[in-house]
Amino acid sequence: MKTATPQMARAINDRLALDLLLEHGTLTAPQLRALTGLSRPTVSDLIERLRVNGLIAVVGESGEDRRGPNARVYGIVADRAHVAGVDVRRDTVNVTVADITGRTVGSAARPLKTARPADAARPPETGGPAGAGRPPGAGRSVEPGGSGEPGDDLVTIIAGTVAEAAGPRSMHAVVVGAPGMVNPHSGELAADNGVPGWRPNLLQALGHRIDAPVTLENEVNLAAVAEHRIGSARGRGDFVLLWLDDGVGAAITLDGRLRRGASGGAGEVGTLGLRGGLFCDLASAGSIGGLDQDSLAAMIAEGAFTAVAVLDPGLVVLGGETGRSGGDALAALVGERLSALSPVPTQVRPSTVEGNAILHGALLTALSIAHRDIFGEVPA
């Protein structure tokens, strides 16, 4: 068993206090002592340490009749860093910017043209991760540009939308969600994704236009991050998100960790062959319009069966427009059909993430990067 050094113990206590401040917003020293179980001197030391490092500040007092250190209310210095989440659809780029506490401070959206340039259909080439050789940290700016008009390059549109949402703020991290398999080695798309203007090594090009580390992630994986943190899978270590929207796919979380697979293809259930055709074709918006709820549930259950039989996740979340609009009624029908196909007990729930789940997941992922870099990782 590894013995914690004084330095390790301080790092653990500091991160615990910062996480509690993120959760509660503001706390007094007595409240921190009660929540952490740490002694008065230890809490006093960590408060002073975090204040000197510019991570927390006094934001008020707990009562007019009280004075002194115990009456001070502390909060995280929200402007210490800002991050951006980006959702690249086939027709729109959406961006949300938040401070390090997760509070939204800016947003922007720009349309994409429908025609694709002639060279955009070539498969992506291998490229290194954006920001390679550049240490993480705050104080990075975003280059503006791009109006979303047909003549604009996609890189220009994305960078311009981030700049519009960020305003004068520098970005610490930017996470981009897009359709398609992301190669875990290069960080780029493994194949064309149908987004107008997407081209090989687009991530590297973004890294030259946005002066912050840029991470690309499959959009369904990001929706699963949101579902795990703030949605129907909150508190669950294992679950599968079945995405039923403009595209059809799945994301897998096991032991609380997103699983991408050796090539980034974990959860690519759209190519499953079902009775009547491919799952992605059968579950498309154009195909399900004429189905009654029972037939739709049967088809979804058949598509989810493989993941349930192999992974035994215990929970399937129905996401995307079809999953959300179907609500509890569709989830219950899918659950009944699934139980008839598999002896493995599995709950089925609709997505409960409000708004754009992909954008939420991108922002949460970017915040995790900022928290790790600025607050420090909890030692193993």
Side-chain angles (χ1 to χ4, degrees):
M1 182 177 177
K2 189 175 181 179
T3 303
T5 64
Q7 182 179 8
M8 184 184 298
R10 286 194 295 271
I12 292 172
N13 292 340
D14 289 359
R15 183 58 195 262
L16 175 59
L18 289 166
D19 286 343
L20 286 169
L21 284 166
L22 284 173
E23 179 182 354
H24 293 274
T26 59
L27 292 169
T28 62
Q31 288 171 328
L32 276 171
R33 291 200 300 270
L35 290 168
T36 61
L38 299 173
S39 66
R40 181 188 295 264
T42 299
V43 169
S44 295
D45 286 346
L46 77 82
I47 286 175
E48 181 61 20
R49 195 161 51 245
L50 295 176
R51 287 184 65 186
V52 168
N53 289 331
L55 298 177
I56 67 171
V58 177
V59 296
E61 292 191 350
S62 59
E64 293 182 359
D65 298 331
R66 301 183 61 190
R67 293 293 183 268
N70 285 338
R72 294 170 184 161
V73 178
Y74 300 94
I76 288 175
V77 178
D79 289 338
R80 180 62 186 267
H82 294 90
V83 300
V86 183
D87 176 26
V88 180
R89 301 287 84 209
R90 292 181 175 88
D91 58 357
T92 313
V93 174
N94 291 284
V95 176
T96 297
V97 170
D99 62 32
I100 200 169
T101 68
R103 181 178 65 91
T104 297
V105 296
S107 61
R110 294 187 182 181
L112 292 182
K113 58 190 176 182
T114 56
R116 306 200 54 189
D119 62 348
R122 294 179 302 184
E125 301 166 3
T126 302
R134 195 167 51 188
R140 288 168 176 156
S141 61
V142 181
E143 179 182 341
S147 63
E149 293 303 317
D152 282 336
D153 174 73
L154 180 59
V155 172
T156 302
I157 295 171
I158 295 174
T161 312
V162 173
E164 181 183 343
R169 305 173 185 88
S170 298
M171 293 295 99
H172 182 91
V174 177
V175 173
V176 179
M181 284 171 45
V182 177
N183 186 309
H185 307 292
S186 69
E188 297 274 1
L189 282 184
D192 177 57
N193 64 356
V195 172
W198 200 284
R199 55 185 172 83
N201 296 323
L202 181 135
L203 185 63
Q204 287 188 340
L206 276 175
H208 293 299
R209 295 293 302 274
I210 299 175
D211 191 18
V214 181
T215 302
L216 177 65
E217 181 61 90
N218 171 267
E219 92 276 38
V220 182
N221 284 347
L222 290 177
V225 170
E227 214 63 60
H228 194 208
R229 295 278 296 277
I230 59 174
S232 291
R234 189 172 183 177
R236 300 291 291 259
D238 303 335
F239 75 98
V240 169
L241 170 66
L242 194 59
W243 188 255
L244 306 164
D245 205 284
D246 180 34
V248 175
I252 301 164
T253 295
L254 299 175
D255 297 326
R257 293 177 54 201
L258 187 66
R259 306 291 175 158
R260 298 174 178 82
S263 62
E268 292 293 327
V269 298
T271 56
L272 284 175
L274 308 182
R275 288 171 291 182
L278 296 178
F279 189 27
C280 58
D281 295 330
L282 297 174
S284 67
S287 298
I288 66 173
L291 295 179
D292 58 60
Q293 284 289 89
D294 195 59
S295 298
L296 176 61
M299 183 266 293
I300 294 172
E302 188 180 354
F305 168 68
T306 300
V308 169
V310 173
L311 300 173
D312 186 17
L315 172 65
V316 171
V317 178
L318 304 183
E321 177 59 29
T322 299
R324 280 185 56 81
S325 62
D328 291 329
L330 178 61
L333 286 172
V334 172
E336 292 174 7
R337 290 287 189 161
L338 198 52
S339 64
L341 294 173
S342 171
V344 177
T346 307
Q347 288 182 295
V348 180
R349 300 175 182 171
S351 168
T352 54
V353 176
E354 294 292 335
N356 187 330
I358 298 166
L359 201 54
H360 278 301
L363 200 60
L364 288 167
T365 302
L367 282 168
S368 294
I369 294 170
H371 294 163
R372 178 200 65 203
D373 294 343
I374 296 173
F375 295 164
E377 290 190 90
V378 177

